[in-house]
Amino acid sequence: MNDFSAAQRSRVTMLDVAEYAGVSKASVSRFIGDDRALLSDAIAQRIEQAITELGYRPNQMARGLKRGRTRLIGMLVADIRNPYSIAVMHGVETACRRHGYSLVVCNTDRDDEQERQHLALLRSYNIEGLIVNTLGHHRDELDELKREMPLVLVDRKVEGLNSDMVGLDNPQAVEMALEHLQQRGYRDVLLVTEAYDGTSSRIERVSSFQQQIGQRQRMNGTVLETGSSLANDLQTFLNTPDNGPKALFCANGVAALACTLALREIGCRLFEDVGLIALDDLDWYPLVGSGITALAQPTEEIGARAFECLLKRLRGDDEAARTLDFAPVLIERGSTQGKSAD
């Protein structure tokens, strides 16, 4: 029976276990570590009994540092409030746990100085690898870290950083959205995006939109950034003489929420006056009107594959940097079913 209190257990050391079991401290270290097979069954049993009765808990961080391994993976995210970041982070964390790693997450809150500080903090934790989904304005610091450990980018490229990249096939996503809208009879499309802020995925979506809309006969397209004037800007779009039925294409979930609130503010009839399709598929989409049509990103898989890329590098893979682009899945709802194709 174990009569040790919680406070006493927290003070139990490896030496205490060794003395209690009548063995050397080195034997206890072998039992706790990866060399248990070197011990006889009798000694291993005595050590195990001592650990149980004393309530000894090894300091995993100290053990990891001594061995040069902490089994910690760092993840840097630009905005932890963004549903995309949360979903990808969950995919990374689940994959980490499956392989015996723990995840340390730092949120830069889209602030350059925070990003710089968090990079230094993660390095001090002796992480074994880093997954980055942030502004990427500190390329030199990231490049320096990459020389020390594997680094994988998620969703956002960092110019000049030769690293594995996992994310969405943005040109394909734009093509799927425009094809769907055109088939549903929409002719004037407004792409609504958050401010570019150097974010490669946003820039790529806008660039693909501008290129592809020009290749589609009888479709017009313009681009609008979210901001304080969004409601007025949407009203202007709705009031402008049209080429045909109008639709909004929201470049992510944050833009979709901003547009939905703005359309309600100006008294727009969802989704009679305007169609709407959004990148990302969030839990609240089915609850708005007859539901918002979405291009769902496989966020869990993106997170899991980012960790798998990192794990391969940790295991010695030295092949050239690779890019994994995933296709979205179209989920049709009532927001794009109000018009018939010509």
Side-chain angles (χ1 to χ4, degrees), residues 5-6 8-10 12-14 17 32 51 54-60 63:
S5 69
Q8 287 173 316
R9 287 191 201 109
S10 68
V12 174
T13 67
M14 188 182 295
V17 173
I32 295 170
I51 288 173
L54 295 178
Y56 174 64
R57 294 182 176 86
N59 186 327
Q60 299 294 345
R63 288 176 57 224

PDB file of all heavy atoms in Angstrom, residues 5-6 8-10 12-14 17 32 51 54-60 63:
ATOM      1  N   SER A   5       2.263  10.904   0.308  1.00  0.00           N
ATOM      2  CA  SER A   5       1.378  11.998  -0.125  1.00  0.00           C
ATOM      3  C   SER A   5       1.813  12.495  -1.477  1.00  0.00           C
ATOM      4  O   SER A   5       2.915  12.203  -1.942  1.00  0.00           O
ATOM      5  CB  SER A   5       1.428  13.147   0.888  1.00  0.00           C
ATOM      6  OG  SER A   5       2.704  13.782   0.837  1.00  0.00           O
ATOM      7  N   ALA A   6       0.940  13.320  -2.120  1.00  0.00           N
ATOM      8  CA  ALA A   6       1.281  13.887  -3.437  1.00  0.00           C
ATOM      9  C   ALA A   6       2.522  14.750  -3.341  1.00  0.00           C
ATOM     10  O   ALA A   6       3.377  14.743  -4.230  1.00  0.00           O
ATOM     11  CB  ALA A   6       0.097  14.684  -3.963  1.00  0.00           C
ATOM     12  N   GLN A   8       4.988  14.425  -1.172  1.00  0.00           N
ATOM     13  CA  GLN A   8       6.158  13.570  -1.018  1.00  0.00           C
ATOM     14  C   GLN A   8       6.562  12.933  -2.340  1.00  0.00           C
ATOM     15  O   GLN A   8       7.736  12.817  -2.660  1.00  0.00           O
ATOM     16  CB  GLN A   8       5.864  12.484   0.020  1.00  0.00           C
ATOM     17  CG  GLN A   8       5.834  12.997   1.458  1.00  0.00           C
ATOM     18  CD  GLN A   8       5.374  11.944   2.424  1.00  0.00           C
ATOM     19  OE1 GLN A   8       4.399  11.232   2.162  1.00  0.00           O
ATOM     20  NE2 GLN A   8       6.069  11.805   3.548  1.00  0.00           N
ATOM     21  N   ARG A   9       5.543  12.511  -3.134  1.00  0.00           N
ATOM     22  CA  ARG A   9       5.840  11.891  -4.430  1.00  0.00           C
ATOM     23  C   ARG A   9       6.614  12.858  -5.329  1.00  0.00           C
ATOM     24  O   ARG A   9       7.501  12.460  -6.058  1.00  0.00           O
ATOM     25  CB  ARG A   9       4.544  11.488  -5.129  1.00  0.00           C
ATOM     26  CG  ARG A   9       3.849  10.289  -4.532  1.00  0.00           C
ATOM     27  CD  ARG A   9       2.725   9.811  -5.438  1.00  0.00           C
ATOM     28  NE  ARG A   9       1.769   9.018  -4.703  1.00  0.00           N
ATOM     29  CZ  ARG A   9       0.540   9.410  -4.399  1.00  0.00           C
ATOM     30  NH1 ARG A   9       0.119  10.601  -4.783  1.00  0.00           N
ATOM     31  NH2 ARG A   9      -0.261   8.632  -3.726  1.00  0.00           N
ATOM     32  N   SER A  10       6.239  14.127  -5.297  1.00  0.00           N
ATOM     33  CA  SER A  10       6.871  15.101  -6.187  1.00  0.00           C
ATOM     34  C   SER A  10       8.343  15.292  -5.849  1.00  0.00           C
ATOM     35  O   SER A  10       9.102  15.778  -6.665  1.00  0.00           O
ATOM     36  CB  SER A  10       6.134  16.439  -6.104  1.00  0.00           C
ATOM     37  OG  SER A  10       6.318  17.023  -4.826  1.00  0.00           O
ATOM     38  N   VAL A  12      10.311  12.704  -4.702  1.00  0.00           N
ATOM     39  CA  VAL A  12      11.025  11.438  -4.864  1.00  0.00           C
ATOM     40  C   VAL A  12      11.991  11.535  -6.039  1.00  0.00           C
ATOM     41  O   VAL A  12      11.626  11.996  -7.122  1.00  0.00           O
ATOM     42  CB  VAL A  12      10.040  10.267  -5.070  1.00  0.00           C
ATOM     43  CG1 VAL A  12      10.795   8.976  -5.381  1.00  0.00           C
ATOM     44  CG2 VAL A  12       9.176  10.084  -3.831  1.00  0.00           C
ATOM     45  N   THR A  13      13.231  11.109  -5.830  1.00  0.00           N
ATOM     46  CA  THR A  13      14.250  11.181  -6.869  1.00  0.00           C
ATOM     47  C   THR A  13      14.613   9.789  -7.362  1.00  0.00           C
ATOM     48  O   THR A  13      14.228   8.760  -6.760  1.00  0.00           O
ATOM     49  CB  THR A  13      15.514  11.867  -6.335  1.00  0.00           C
ATOM     50  OG1 THR A  13      16.109  11.026  -5.327  1.00  0.00           O
ATOM     51  CG2 THR A  13      15.187  13.239  -5.747  1.00  0.00           C
ATOM     52  N   MET A  14      15.392   9.761  -8.417  1.00  0.00           N
ATOM     53  CA  MET A  14      15.873   8.484  -8.950  1.00  0.00           C
ATOM     54  C   MET A  14      16.745   7.762  -7.922  1.00  0.00           C
ATOM     55  O   MET A  14      16.718   6.527  -7.808  1.00  0.00           O
ATOM     56  CB  MET A  14      16.651   8.724 -10.248  1.00  0.00           C
ATOM     57  CG  MET A  14      17.023   7.446 -10.990  1.00  0.00           C
ATOM     58  SD  MET A  14      17.975   7.756 -12.486  1.00  0.00           S
ATOM     59  CE  MET A  14      16.786   8.625 -13.487  1.00  0.00           C
ATOM     60  N   VAL A  17      14.608   5.886  -5.462  1.00  0.00           N
ATOM     61  CA  VAL A  17      14.130   4.635  -6.042  1.00  0.00           C
ATOM     62  C   VAL A  17      15.220   3.582  -5.992  1.00  0.00           C
ATOM     63  O   VAL A  17      14.971   2.408  -5.632  1.00  0.00           O
ATOM     64  CB  VAL A  17      13.649   4.853  -7.496  1.00  0.00           C
ATOM     65  CG1 VAL A  17      13.301   3.521  -8.157  1.00  0.00           C
ATOM     66  CG2 VAL A  17      12.457   5.792  -7.534  1.00  0.00           C
ATOM     67  N   ILE A  32      14.097   3.123 -16.740  1.00  0.00           N
ATOM     68  CA  ILE A  32      13.231   4.222 -17.205  1.00  0.00           C
ATOM     69  C   ILE A  32      13.465   4.523 -18.677  1.00  0.00           C
ATOM     70  O   ILE A  32      12.543   4.894 -19.404  1.00  0.00           O
ATOM     71  CB  ILE A  32      13.483   5.483 -16.355  1.00  0.00           C
ATOM     72  CG1 ILE A  32      13.061   5.219 -14.904  1.00  0.00           C
ATOM     73  CG2 ILE A  32      12.733   6.688 -16.921  1.00  0.00           C
ATOM     74  CD1 ILE A  32      13.489   6.304 -13.948  1.00  0.00           C
ATOM     75  N   ILE A  51       9.188   2.080  -7.822  1.00  0.00           N
ATOM     76  CA  ILE A  51       8.578   3.230  -8.492  1.00  0.00           C
ATOM     77  C   ILE A  51       7.106   3.346  -8.120  1.00  0.00           C
ATOM     78  O   ILE A  51       6.600   4.435  -7.823  1.00  0.00           O
ATOM     79  CB  ILE A  51       8.756   3.118 -10.022  1.00  0.00           C
ATOM     80  CG1 ILE A  51      10.213   3.383 -10.404  1.00  0.00           C
ATOM     81  CG2 ILE A  51       7.825   4.092 -10.757  1.00  0.00           C
ATOM     82  CD1 ILE A  51      10.519   3.138 -11.868  1.00  0.00           C
ATOM     83  N   LEU A  54       6.769   4.246  -4.227  1.00  0.00           N
ATOM     84  CA  LEU A  54       7.222   5.607  -3.908  1.00  0.00           C
ATOM     85  C   LEU A  54       6.461   6.674  -4.697  1.00  0.00           C
ATOM     86  O   LEU A  54       6.504   7.853  -4.352  1.00  0.00           O
ATOM     87  CB  LEU A  54       8.723   5.744  -4.198  1.00  0.00           C
ATOM     88  CG  LEU A  54       9.667   4.900  -3.328  1.00  0.00           C
ATOM     89  CD1 LEU A  54      11.107   5.098  -3.770  1.00  0.00           C
ATOM     90  CD2 LEU A  54       9.516   5.270  -1.860  1.00  0.00           C
ATOM     91  N   GLY A  55       5.792   6.249  -5.777  1.00  0.00           N
ATOM     92  CA  GLY A  55       5.078   7.228  -6.608  1.00  0.00           C
ATOM     93  C   GLY A  55       6.016   8.099  -7.419  1.00  0.00           C
ATOM     94  O   GLY A  55       5.747   9.278  -7.674  1.00  0.00           O
ATOM     95  N   TYR A  56       7.139   7.512  -7.844  1.00  0.00           N
ATOM     96  CA  TYR A  56       8.141   8.292  -8.588  1.00  0.00           C
ATOM     97  C   TYR A  56       7.655   8.613  -9.990  1.00  0.00           C
ATOM     98  O   TYR A  56       7.125   7.755 -10.694  1.00  0.00           O
ATOM     99  CB  TYR A  56       9.447   7.494  -8.662  1.00  0.00           C
ATOM    100  CG  TYR A  56      10.515   8.122  -9.524  1.00  0.00           C
ATOM    101  CD1 TYR A  56      11.072   9.350  -9.190  1.00  0.00           C
ATOM    102  CD2 TYR A  56      10.965   7.473 -10.671  1.00  0.00           C
ATOM    103  CE1 TYR A  56      12.056   9.927  -9.984  1.00  0.00           C
ATOM    104  CE2 TYR A  56      11.949   8.029 -11.466  1.00  0.00           C
ATOM    105  CZ  TYR A  56      12.493   9.263 -11.124  1.00  0.00           C
ATOM    106  OH  TYR A  56      13.451   9.832 -11.904  1.00  0.00           O
ATOM    107  N   ARG A  57       7.861   9.867 -10.385  1.00  0.00           N
ATOM    108  CA  ARG A  57       7.516  10.301 -11.744  1.00  0.00           C
ATOM    109  C   ARG A  57       8.757  10.911 -12.384  1.00  0.00           C
ATOM    110  O   ARG A  57       9.223  11.957 -11.950  1.00  0.00           O
ATOM    111  CB  ARG A  57       6.380  11.327 -11.729  1.00  0.00           C
ATOM    112  CG  ARG A  57       5.053  10.750 -11.245  1.00  0.00           C
ATOM    113  CD  ARG A  57       3.950  11.800 -11.290  1.00  0.00           C
ATOM    114  NE  ARG A  57       2.670  11.229 -10.911  1.00  0.00           N
ATOM    115  CZ  ARG A  57       2.232  11.110  -9.663  1.00  0.00           C
ATOM    116  NH1 ARG A  57       3.000  11.534  -8.665  1.00  0.00           N
ATOM    117  NH2 ARG A  57       1.054  10.582  -9.403  1.00  0.00           N
ATOM    118  N   PRO A  58       9.291  10.266 -13.426  1.00  0.00           N
ATOM    119  CA  PRO A  58      10.498  10.788 -14.076  1.00  0.00           C
ATOM    120  C   PRO A  58      10.257  12.165 -14.687  1.00  0.00           C
ATOM    121  O   PRO A  58       9.152  12.468 -15.137  1.00  0.00           O
ATOM    122  CB  PRO A  58      10.786   9.761 -15.183  1.00  0.00           C
ATOM    123  CG  PRO A  58      10.005   8.550 -14.800  1.00  0.00           C
ATOM    124  CD  PRO A  58       8.806   9.030 -14.048  1.00  0.00           C
ATOM    125  N   ASN A  59      11.288  12.987 -14.676  1.00  0.00           N
ATOM    126  CA  ASN A  59      11.258  14.293 -15.340  1.00  0.00           C
ATOM    127  C   ASN A  59      11.560  14.070 -16.817  1.00  0.00           C
ATOM    128  O   ASN A  59      12.710  13.965 -17.222  1.00  0.00           O
ATOM    129  CB  ASN A  59      12.293  15.230 -14.715  1.00  0.00           C
ATOM    130  CG  ASN A  59      12.198  16.638 -15.275  1.00  0.00           C
ATOM    131  OD1 ASN A  59      11.866  16.832 -16.439  1.00  0.00           O
ATOM    132  ND2 ASN A  59      12.503  17.616 -14.430  1.00  0.00           N
ATOM    133  N   GLN A  60      10.483  13.994 -17.611  1.00  0.00           N
ATOM    134  CA  GLN A  60      10.650  13.655 -19.030  1.00  0.00           C
ATOM    135  C   GLN A  60      11.455  14.711 -19.781  1.00  0.00           C
ATOM    136  O   GLN A  60      12.222  14.396 -20.687  1.00  0.00           O
ATOM    137  CB  GLN A  60       9.273  13.470 -19.686  1.00  0.00           C
ATOM    138  CG  GLN A  60       8.436  12.363 -19.078  1.00  0.00           C
ATOM    139  CD  GLN A  60       9.042  10.983 -19.303  1.00  0.00           C
ATOM    140  OE1 GLN A  60       9.924  10.810 -20.138  1.00  0.00           O
ATOM    141  NE2 GLN A  60       8.573  10.001 -18.553  1.00  0.00           N
ATOM    142  N   ARG A  63      15.150  14.215 -18.979  1.00  0.00           N
ATOM    143  CA  ARG A  63      15.638  13.030 -19.675  1.00  0.00           C
ATOM    144  C   ARG A  63      15.847  13.305 -21.155  1.00  0.00           C
ATOM    145  O   ARG A  63      16.824  12.890 -21.765  1.00  0.00           O
ATOM    146  CB  ARG A  63      14.642  11.879 -19.519  1.00  0.00           C
ATOM    147  CG  ARG A  63      14.602  11.286 -18.137  1.00  0.00           C
ATOM    148  CD  ARG A  63      13.524  10.224 -18.037  1.00  0.00           C
ATOM    149  NE  ARG A  63      13.749   9.188 -19.029  1.00  0.00           N
ATOM    150  CZ  ARG A  63      12.782   8.669 -19.775  1.00  0.00           C
ATOM    151  NH1 ARG A  63      11.546   9.103 -19.658  1.00  0.00           N
ATOM    152  NH2 ARG A  63      13.058   7.725 -20.639  1.00  0.00           N
TER     153      ARG A  63
END
